[in-house]
């Protein structure tokens, strides 16, 4: 069964067509890498899958739910999809632990203690439990990316979208982040794009 179905998806910014009829399926548990030069639409397409960008033509179906202007569908999809951004998107005024527990507490309505317990498990999984009480500005780029992966996993997503998760990291840190993502894919069966 497909977790993502994309059928002839098109997206324009004014006169510029960023997506030119993207058709693809991603099976449950599949890890798919989209390669292409800068400006070819990779980030735009990933953002459309999570409805951070709106496609103008074609269909995107995530976990059986078609992305339309129906806010209920968008909320349902976002609750099942984790996203890791190029720029980490961490809240600088919150500790690592607070960043990871924010969505589980406010969106999933988990208790603080339950969310913190899960967050510590995730920090253990991504290899930085000792950083829980630090602020993002006190971490290296690789550590910040690990926190971002932990945040994305906090909601137990069926699908993880990663927008160039190793951009700006040194070669060794890139290898560690890719190894972590590979482990998560094998360990949890989470679909990844």
């Amino acid at each position: 069964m497909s977790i993502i179905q994309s059928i002839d998806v098109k997206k324009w910014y004014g006169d510029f067509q960023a997506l030119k009829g993207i058709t693809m399926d991603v099976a449950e548990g599949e890890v798919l890498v989209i390669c292409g030069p800068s400006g070819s639409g990779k980030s735009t397409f990933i953002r459309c899958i999570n409805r951070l960008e709106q496609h103008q033509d074609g269909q995107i179906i995530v976990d059986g739910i078609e992305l339309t202007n129906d806010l209920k569908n968008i909320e349902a999809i976002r609750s099942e999809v984790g996203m890791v951004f190029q720029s980490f998107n961490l809240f600088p005024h919150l500790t690592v632990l607070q960043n990871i527990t924010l969505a589980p507490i406010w969106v999933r309505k988990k208790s603080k203690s339950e969310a913190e317990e899960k967050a510590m498990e995730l920090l253990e999984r991504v290899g930085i439990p000792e950083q829980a009480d630090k602020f993002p500005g006190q971490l290296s780029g690789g550590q910040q990316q690990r926190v971002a992966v932990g945040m994305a996993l906090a909601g137990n997503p069926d699908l993880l979208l990663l927008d160039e998760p190793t951009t700006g990291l040194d070669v060794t840190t890139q290898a560690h982040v890719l190894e972590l993502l590979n482990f998560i894919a094998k360990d949890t069966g989470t679909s990844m794009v």
Side-chain angles (χ1 to χ4, degrees):
M1 185 172 160
S2 296
I3 192 149
I4 301 172
Q5 291 178 289
S6 168
I7 305 161
D8 199 29
V9 173
K10 297 174 184 166
K11 165 83 177 154
W12 288 267
Y13 295 103
D15 292 335
F16 176 72
Q17 188 173 3
L19 301 178
K20 300 176 181 180
I22 308 295
T23 298
M24 60 170 259
D25 281 357
V26 178
E28 288 182 3
E30 183 178 3
V31 175
L32 177 75
V33 177
I34 300 173
C35 296
S38 182
S40 63
K42 302 178 304 290
S43 294
T44 299
F45 183 59
I46 286 175
R47 292 174 64 84
C48 285
I49 294 170
N50 204 15
R51 198 57 169 203
L52 297 173
E53 296 271 353
Q54 183 176 344
H55 62 286
Q56 284 101 358
D57 200 9
Q59 289 180 291
I60 298 176
I61 302 164
V62 178
D63 209 11
I65 301 170
E66 183 173 357
L67 278 170
T68 63
N69 289 330
D70 185 339
L71 293 178
K72 192 184 297 184
N73 285 358
I74 294 169
E75 287 176 14
I77 289 167
R78 286 187 183 158
S79 72
E80 300 304 321
V81 176
M83 179 97 182
V84 178
F85 298 90
Q86 286 182 39
S87 58
F88 316 132
N89 283 17
L90 304 177
F91 294 101
H93 64 289
L94 299 178
T95 65
V96 165
L97 188 66
Q98 291 168 330
N99 266 282
I100 295 176
T101 60
L102 194 63
I105 291 171
W106 291 99
V107 177
R108 299 256 186 201
K109 306 299 182 201
K110 302 279 185 190
S111 69
K112 183 178 178 184
S113 62
E114 186 180 5
E116 286 180 349
E117 182 179 334
K118 174 73 174 179
M120 289 307 298
E121 288 174 17
L122 288 169
L123 285 171
E124 190 73 45
R125 178 180 278 177
V126 300
I128 54 168
E130 71 284 353
Q131 307 299 335
D133 294 324
K134 290 187 178 176
F135 292 92
Q138 297 172 298
L139 305 177
S140 70
Q143 290 170 326
Q144 289 183 51
Q145 191 63 294
R146 287 170 181 258
V147 174
V149 170
M151 284 177 65
L153 294 172
N156 295 320
D158 296 327
L159 172 63
L160 193 56
L161 301 174
L162 303 125
D163 188 6
E164 299 187 35
T166 59
T167 296
L169 302 178
D170 63 75
V171 175
T172 303
T173 306
Q174 285 178 3
H176 287 295
V177 170
L178 292 174
E179 184 179 306
L180 167 66
L181 294 172
N182 189 32
F183 171 76
I184 290 166
K186 289 178 180 176
D187 186 50
T188 65
T190 302
S191 304
M192 293 185 190
V193 176

